[in-house]
Amino acid sequence: MTKIIEVNNVSKSYGGVKANTDISIEVQQGGITGLIGPNGSGKTTLFNSIVGYHPIDSGSIRFEGKEISKMQVQDIARLGLLRTFQQTRIYGDMNCVENMLISMPHRKMTIREAFTTNTRADHDRAEHLLDFVGLYEKRFLRSGSLSFGQQKLLEFAMALMNEPTVLLLDEPTAGINPTLINGLIDRLKRANSEFGITLFIIEHNMRVIMNMADSIYCLAHGELLASGTPSEIQGDQRVVDAYLGAH
Amino acid sequence: MTILRPIFYLALLAFIVAAPFIAPEFRTQLATLWIFIILSMTWDMTGGQMGYNSLGNILFYGAGMYIAAVVGIAIVYNVGEYTNAAGGGIYKFTDTQYFLGMALGLVAAGVLCAGIAWILGYLLFGLRGPYFAIGTLGAAIAAGELVSNWEWVGGGQGIALPVYPGDDYENAKLFFYYLFAIVGVILFIFLRWFYSTRFAAAINAIRDDEEKAEAMGLHTLRYKLITWSIAAFFVGIAGGISGYQLIHFEPLETAFQTINLGIFMVVCVLLGGKGTLWGPIIGAILFHVVKEVTWNYLLGWQWVALGALIVITVVYFQDGLMGWLARVKPEWFGERVMEKPDMVAEPAE
Ligand SMILES: Nc1ncnc2c1ncn2[C@@H]1O[C@H](COP(=O)(O)OP(=O)(O)OP(=O)(O)O)[C@@H](O)[C@H]1O
Ligand SMILES: [Mg+2]
């Protein structure tokens, strides 16, 4: 397996708050990598750094071997490195199908193609993916009227519509009904195995991330605390302490 | 519905063609109505569909007026000498020179205004919300001041263009009415198609959440520049036609009239309903009628009445007529829950 994302010694602070200190991590192509850590440990900050949402203070970030730490959000997204938001961002005034159609990969589209109407195949793909996340019945509802959990699912489907190479998911199961979580785990795994999308997932639910990831990084107080396979992480006393200490 | 639609459009077209003969005494007002319609529809491309409220689109109207005039003069005379004489009547244009100059001028006005929008967009599209509105307003005011100090194009005096050939002024009125109507109809047909494309969906995404659109990899700046440039193209042509219709125009009161037409087009769109195909048109008609009536019957109070209309629209009626209709009659606007989708999403009308 090759490294598709390489983060080297990245630091980022907000004023006096050191949100990330000297973080180095790797995401393997084709795999599912997990990122855990107590609230405020700097997970979302690291995602934001990777996708170019803010400039980093120091360090290097590579995607497919290319340095991206100075690039803009749109340019990074157009490389096929996509993220979903912890707070969930969808186009609330549009219905689900419209949200999906807008999420088509414009990086693969010429200006001439942008000036055409969506095809039957595009609609079918949008509906198929909505069906995949379980929102088919709701597809013509205004997306802003969906529940928070449903909006999370819609945002996930929109990301899939964009055909990314790597998808960074910020707490995909937050707000999802516990009875539906197993189904979501299954879909995330299928996105990885069937669509071939490399996943990098922030997750608080230990059961979920242990079940999915093949490699896990744990942050605490903005620093990398531990990394390893799920069983190594589970048995790591420092990780246990970090979580207990945080509560 | 599907059979009714072409009938409706044909009837509408017939009405547009017949209108100056149905109400011959209102030919000039009808031509002006087309200016309102064109400016409102183009304003809505960025204001309603893309979420960028420009208060400076009048810049393209003024620039188009000057560009069309200068090109029309330049194919026959030295522009500096011509404007220096301030239309002293010493310059004659043959019919061919008049029409050829106007045609070239209108093309140049459209193309150059699109270019101006592209350059201005680079500078201003970093601004969001009210900052963009103020920035564009500033650009329009500055453009008016610049032009009024530019002697080569007549300075504060403006430019006097040749009059329409022939002695019957009714012919001129008809000519300009139809010229505006042709531009307006082409614009309408264009927008009807434009709003059904993926491109339009992308500018709607920019309006609804630009940060999300960026995170999804949309070419946000490119799309914004293209949209504004297309709008400026049509506004520039409308301004160019206006110049020839008015014969004489000057920079601040006529061409770069920020507080009149520059604001009116925004009010028309708000009145009719932002972000819809028909809203700007209906708003323009309503506004124009109210404006003409108050001008004729409320002498001295017309600005007060118009100001009140603007305030009421902005405070109580932000969604406009179409927005209000969409609330009370959602089924007219394709609000569906479970049925099969159409092959192609219809633009909101
Ligand atoms: N925009 C910001 N401005 C100032 N401080 C910030 C900002 N974003 C994050 N922080 C701070 O940086 C630290 C890390 O925050 P971050 O959002 O990365 O944590 P997290 O691990 O994602 O937490 P959670 O699990 O609660 O989502 C926190 O102390 C937070 O207060
Ligand atoms: Mg977070």
Side-chain angles (χ1 to χ4, degrees):
Chain A
M1 287 218 279
T2 56
K3 301 168 227 169
I4 192 156
I5 297 177
E6 298 161 81
V7 174
N8 277 308
N9 305 103
V10 165
S11 298
K12 170 73 191 174
S13 48
Y14 296 105
V17 183
K18 288 185 171 166
N20 282 162
T21 313
D22 233 5
I23 306 280
S24 297
I25 58 140
E26 284 166 4
V27 174
Q28 302 293 335
Q29 177 153 28
I32 301 181
T33 305
L35 183 61
I36 62 171
N39 289 122
S41 57
K43 304 181 298 295
T44 299
T45 303
L46 182 61
F47 266 26
N48 285 337
S49 298
I50 293 173
V51 300
Y53 195 71
H54 54 214
I56 55 175
D57 300 338
S58 60
S60 121
I61 301 168
R62 287 170 175 276
F63 174 65
E64 294 180 325
K66 180 184 157 86
E67 181 67 36
I68 58 168
S69 60
K70 299 269 187 305
M71 287 172 63
Q72 303 261 308
V73 170
Q74 306 99 299
D75 297 323
I76 293 175
R78 285 198 283 274
L79 295 174
L81 174 54
L82 217 67
R83 67 93 61 94
T84 62
F85 291 87
Q86 180 168 1
Q87 301 306 331
T88 309
R89 293 180 92 140
I90 52 167
Y91 307 108
D93 284 336
M94 305 184 192
N95 70 30
C96 296
V97 172
E98 287 166 336
N99 269 276
M100 294 298 287
L101 292 171
I102 285 178
S103 304
M104 283 205 304
H106 276 239
R107 67 174 181 282
K108 297 179 180 171
M109 213 184 269
T110 62
I111 260 301
R112 171 106 65 81
E113 283 164 345
F115 277 109
T116 56
T117 306
N118 291 308
T119 62
R120 178 83 261 173
D122 299 328
H123 279 268
D124 285 349
R125 193 171 139 68
E127 300 205 343
H128 171 76
L129 286 170
L130 285 171
D131 189 34
F132 179 74
V133 299
L135 286 177
Y136 186 76
E137 306 289 293
K138 312 270 182 193
R139 66 196 184 283
F140 294 120
L141 286 184
R142 206 177 70 84
S143 62
S145 69
L146 299 176
S147 73
F148 180 75
Q150 289 169 334
Q151 294 186 9
K152 279 242 128 165
L153 293 169
L154 175 61
E155 198 187 24
F156 174 49
M158 287 160 69
L160 295 179
M161 188 79 181
N162 202 273
E163 301 169 16
T165 315
V166 178
L167 183 53
L168 273 54
L169 296 156
D170 200 340
E171 302 191 17
T173 66
I176 304 285
N177 184 335
T179 58
L180 295 177
I181 284 192
N182 284 341
L184 182 57
I185 294 176
D186 175 56
R187 288 182 187 112
L188 289 167
K189 283 182 170 170
R190 280 174 61 198
N192 175 249
S193 59
E194 287 174 28
F195 307 153
I197 301 171
T198 301
L199 298 180
F200 188 22
I201 304 175
I202 294 178
E203 189 51 69
H204 275 297
N205 186 327
M206 285 301 157
R207 184 177 68 81
V208 170
I209 199 72
M210 294 299 161
N211 188 319
M212 275 193 307
D214 26 57
S215 160
I216 294 176
Y217 289 88
C218 177
L219 299 185
H221 304 296
E223 293 176 39
L224 186 63
L225 187 68
S227 64
T229 61
S231 51
E232 283 166 358
I233 289 288
Q234 237 162 350
D236 195 311
Q237 191 57 40
R238 291 170 301 172
V239 176
V240 176
D241 288 345
Y243 270 88
L244 291 177
H247 288 292
Chain B
M1 274 310 270
T2 25
I3 319 147
L4 284 180
R5 188 163 284 176
I7 296 174
F8 167 74
Y9 281 122
L10 277 176
L12 192 62
L13 196 61
F15 180 71
I16 290 169
V17 173
F21 294 99
I22 298 171
E25 66 277 33
F26 289 118
R27 280 172 187 172
T28 308
Q29 282 93 331
L30 286 170
T32 310
L33 175 59
W34 277 109
I35 301 178
F36 276 83
I37 291 175
I38 294 166
L39 265 52
S40 301
M41 281 204 283
T42 47
W43 188 87
D44 196 51
M45 291 172 70
T46 55
Q49 300 283 347
M50 202 168 79
Y52 277 80
N53 300 316
S54 161
L55 290 180
N57 276 17
I58 196 73
L59 187 154
F60 308 124
Y61 179 80
M65 197 178 277
Y66 270 91
I67 291 165
V70 165
V71 169
I73 295 164
I75 63 159
V76 191
Y77 299 110
N78 178 306
V79 178
E81 285 172 23
Y82 180 93
T83 52
N84 220 0
I90 51 164
Y91 292 109
K92 296 267 172 281
F93 289 76
T94 66
D95 290 5
T96 320
Q97 287 169 340
Y98 179 84
F99 287 112
L100 183 66
M102 187 194 302
L104 291 174
L106 294 183
V107 172
V111 172
L112 290 179
C113 283
I116 294 171
W118 193 278
I119 295 164
L120 213 54
Y122 257 105
L123 301 172
L124 294 174
F125 274 133
L127 303 173
R128 302 280 152 90
Y131 298 99
F132 180 77
I134 302 295
T136 48
L137 178 63
I141 293 173
E145 289 300 328
L146 275 176
V147 170
S148 64
N149 285 302
W150 189 7
E151 290 307 325
W152 188 68
V153 293
Q157 298 290 312
I159 295 180
L161 281 166
V163 294
Y164 187 84
D167 294 328
D168 188 355
Y169 197 62
E170 288 305 310
N171 282 339
K173 286 183 179 175
L174 283 176
F175 175 79
F176 288 111
Y177 170 86
Y178 286 120
L179 204 52
F180 279 124
I182 288 167
V183 175
V185 168
I186 290 174
L187 175 62
F188 177 85
I189 293 168
F190 168 77
L191 287 181
R192 222 184 108 73
W193 164 78
F194 179 74
Y195 291 149
S196 75
T197 63
R198 295 161 169 169
F199 186 96
I203 64 171
N204 290 161
I206 291 170
R207 171 192 65 198
D208 288 2
D209 187 345
E210 184 161 359
E211 217 169 72
K212 173 72 177 175
E214 287 176 352
M216 295 300 278
L218 294 188
H219 305 80
T220 48
L221 178 62
R222 187 189 300 172
Y223 290 178
K224 288 190 283 187
L225 292 174
I226 291 174
T227 307
W228 209 26
S229 295
I230 296 172
F233 175 82
F234 283 100
V235 178
I237 291 176
I241 302 172
S242 288
Y244 281 87
Q245 182 201 27
L246 292 166
I247 301 165
H248 173 254
F249 61 86
E250 45 104 72
L252 298 175
E253 297 290 312
T254 331
F256 298 90
Q257 44 169 314
T258 29
I259 57 154
N260 294 352
L261 201 48
I263 300 297
F264 293 167
M265 63 174 110
V266 185
V267 181
C268 291
V269 175
L270 296 181
L271 199 60
K274 275 174 120 177
T276 59
L277 183 64
W278 280 99
I281 300 172
I282 293 166
I285 296 170
L286 274 177
F287 183 85
H288 190 53
V289 168
V290 171
K291 182 172 167 293
E292 289 300 316
V293 169
T294 52
W295 244 246
N296 286 332
Y297 298 103
L298 290 175
L299 268 179
W301 286 88
Q302 68 272 52
W303 281 103
V304 177
L306 218 53
L309 176 71
I310 293 172
V311 171
I312 290 167
T313 308
V314 172
V315 176
Y316 296 106
F317 211 54
Q318 278 178 8
D319 292 341
L321 204 62
M322 295 302 277
W324 173 75
L325 269 180
R327 253 197 327 274
V328 293
K329 291 268 176 222
E331 63 276 12
W332 292 1
F333 294 81
E335 187 99 341
R336 297 155 302 186
V337 181
M338 289 283 286
E339 2 156 353
K340 266 271 159 219
D342 292 329
M343 169 73 186
V344 170
E346 287 283 349
E349 289 184 32

